[in-house]
C-alpha cells in the first residue's frame, strides 16, 4: 500500500511556510494568471522559484495550478507561464483545459500532468482516457462515493487524489455558472465570487447551497485502503492559521 500524501493549499508565502512547517508532504499553489483562485495572493516568477527551492530542500513537492479555461488570444501568455513553471522545477502542473494540456506537453513534456477536479472525472472510462493522454494523476470528482473511488483507483494504473477537508462547491466539481450569471465573475476563469456560500431564500426559508465543512478525516484509513494516493485540503483563499491547523 502506498504512503499517504497530505497536500496543503498555499495562497501565498505565509501559507507556504505554515504548510511546510506543519508537515505537508506537498503543496499546491497558483501563479499570477490562469489559476482558479486569482484573488489569492499567489506567486510571481521570482516567488515561485523561491517557493519551489524552499519546498524541495525540505522534501516537499510543489504542484502548480494552471486550471482555468483559456482563450485563443491568451496562448502566447500561457506558453510563457508554462516555461516559467518548468524552469522553477515544480513537480507537476494541474490543468482543466485540454488546450493547456497540449501546450504543456509541447513545451515541457517531462513535467507531470495532474487532471483538475474541474475535469469532473467520475468513472473508469474518464480516468482511462486521461492515462492514455499522458496524465500521471487524476483529482477525482468530489461527488463520488467511497465505492466509486475504490473502483476507479483499483481499475486504472494512475494516481488518484481526493479532497478530504474544507469547503465544497455546490455544483458538479466546481463547474458552476452561478457566479458568472449573478456577477459576471466566472469560476472557470478564476474569479468565483462564491455566491453559493451565502444563504438563499425560498418560500420564506433560508437555505445554504454550499457544503462549508467537509471533513473526511475520520475516514482517511478507508480512502487509503481504497488506493487513493493524495489527500487534498481545500483552501487557497484561507489564512495561514487555517492551513496550519488543517
Amino acid at each position: 500500500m502506498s504512503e499517504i500524501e497530505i497536500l496543503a493549499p498555499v495562497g501565498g508565502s505565509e501559507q507556504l511556510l505554515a504548510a511546510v512547517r506543519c508537515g505537508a508532504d506537498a503543496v499546491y499553489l497558483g501563479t499570477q494568471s490562469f489559476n482558479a483562485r486569482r484573488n489569492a495572493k499567489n506567486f510571481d516568477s521570482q516567488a515561485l522559484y523561491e517557493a519551489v527551492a524552499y519546498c524541495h530542500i525540505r522534501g516537499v513537492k510543489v504542484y502548480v495550478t494552471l486550471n482555468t479555461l483559456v482563450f485563443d488570444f491568451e496562448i502566447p501568455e500561457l506558453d510563457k507561464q508554462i516555461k516559467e513553471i518548468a524552469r522553477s522545477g515544480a513537480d507537476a502542473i494541474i490543468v482543466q483545459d485540454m488546450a493547456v494540456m497540449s501546450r504543456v506537453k509541447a513545451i515541457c513534456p517531462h513535467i507531470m500532468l495532474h487532471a483538475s477536479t474541474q475535469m469532473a472525472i467520475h468513472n473508469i472510462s474518464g480516468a482511462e482516457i486521461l492515462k492514455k493522454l499522458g496524465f500521471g494523476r487524476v483529482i477525482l470528482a468530489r461527488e463520488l462515493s467511497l465505492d466509486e473511488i475504490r473502483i476507479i483507483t483499483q481499475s486504472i494504473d494512475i494516481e488518484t487524489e481526493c479532497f478530504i477537508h474544507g469547503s465544497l462547491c455546490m455544483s458538479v466539481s466546481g463547474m458552476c455558472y452561478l457566479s458568472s450569471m449573478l456577477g459576471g465573475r466566472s469560476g472557470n476563469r478564476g474569479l468565483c465570487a462564491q455566491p453559493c456560500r451565502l444563504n438563499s431564500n425560498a418560500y420564506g426559508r433560508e437555505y445554504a447551497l454550499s457544503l462549508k465543512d467537509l471533513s473526511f478525516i475520520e475516514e482517511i484509513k478507508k480512502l487509503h485502503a481504497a488506493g487513493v494516493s493524495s489527500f487534498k485540503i481545500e483552501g487557497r483563499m484561507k489564512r495561514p492559521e487555517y492551513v496550519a491547523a488543517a
Side-chain angles (χ1 to χ4, degrees):
M1 188 176 293
S2 63
E3 293 295 321
I4 294 174
E5 176 186 85
I6 301 299
L7 177 57
V10 170
S13 57
E14 291 183 343
Q15 288 88 340
L16 178 75
L17 294 176
V20 175
R21 290 175 179 176
C22 289
D25 302 299
V27 299
Y28 65 104
L29 52 84
T31 57
Q32 296 297 311
S33 55
F34 306 114
N35 88 82
R37 288 292 181 267
R38 284 164 57 191
N39 288 327
K41 186 175 181 181
N42 295 314
F43 294 78
D44 60 21
S45 297
Q46 184 61 35
L48 177 62
Y49 297 147
E50 293 172 356
V52 173
Y54 177 83
C55 288
H56 283 179
I57 288 173
R58 293 159 178 81
V60 176
K61 293 183 177 181
V62 179
Y63 308 143
V64 181
T65 58
L66 283 182
N67 57 341
T68 58
L69 302 178
V70 299
F71 294 120
D72 288 350
F73 71 85
E74 295 175 316
I75 297 298
E77 177 61 26
L78 173 68
D79 287 354
K80 178 182 177 181
Q81 192 73 77
I82 292 171
K83 291 174 184 176
E84 289 182 350
I85 294 170
R87 284 194 292 267
S88 76
D91 298 279
I93 296 178
I94 305 170
V95 307
Q96 172 190 187
D97 194 327
M98 287 297 185
V100 179
M101 175 210 72
S102 177
R103 297 312 300 154
V104 171
K105 292 179 69 175
I107 294 170
C108 53
H110 63 281
I111 198 164
M112 189 174 184
L113 279 167
H114 291 183
S116 170
T117 189
Q118 290 164 289
M119 281 192 171
I121 300 303
H122 59 274
N123 56 31
I124 294 173
S125 297
E128 191 171 33
I129 289 172
L130 292 182
K131 173 71 175 179
K132 291 178 180 178
L133 288 172
F135 283 85
R137 177 182 293 185
V138 54
I139 304 164
L140 293 172
R142 288 172 279 188
E143 298 76 36
L144 296 178
S145 68
L146 179 61
D147 286 341
E148 290 169 329
I149 291 170
R150 181 184 298 108
I151 290 170
I152 295 170
T153 298
Q154 296 181 358
S155 299
I156 305 297
D157 183 23
I158 189 171
E159 291 183 2
T160 55
E161 178 179 309
C162 290
F163 283 88
I164 63 160
H165 191 76
S167 300
L168 199 63
C169 292
M170 59 81 63
S171 190
V172 181
S173 288
M175 296 192 299
C176 175
Y177 289 96
L178 186 60
S179 177
S180 180
M181 293 297 294
L182 292 179
R185 294 173 53 180
S186 172
N188 286 310
R189 294 284 295 166
L191 292 173
C192 182
Q194 302 178 336
C196 69
R197 297 182 187 180
L198 303 174
N199 282 351
S200 58
N201 187 284
Y203 304 107
R205 298 178 62 185
E206 290 191 349
Y207 300 87
L209 295 175
S210 174
L211 293 174
K212 299 181 180 180
D213 56 356
L214 168 71
S215 182
F216 210 65
I217 292 173
E218 293 183 356
E219 309 296 336
I220 278 180
K221 290 183 179 180
K222 293 180 181 178
L223 279 174
H224 190 212
V228 175
S229 302
S230 181
F231 297 160
K232 188 170 193 172
I233 300 166
E234 182 274 340
R236 280 197 291 139
M237 297 291 290
K238 300 291 180 65
R239 294 165 56 87
E241 292 84 354
Y242 170 88
V243 176

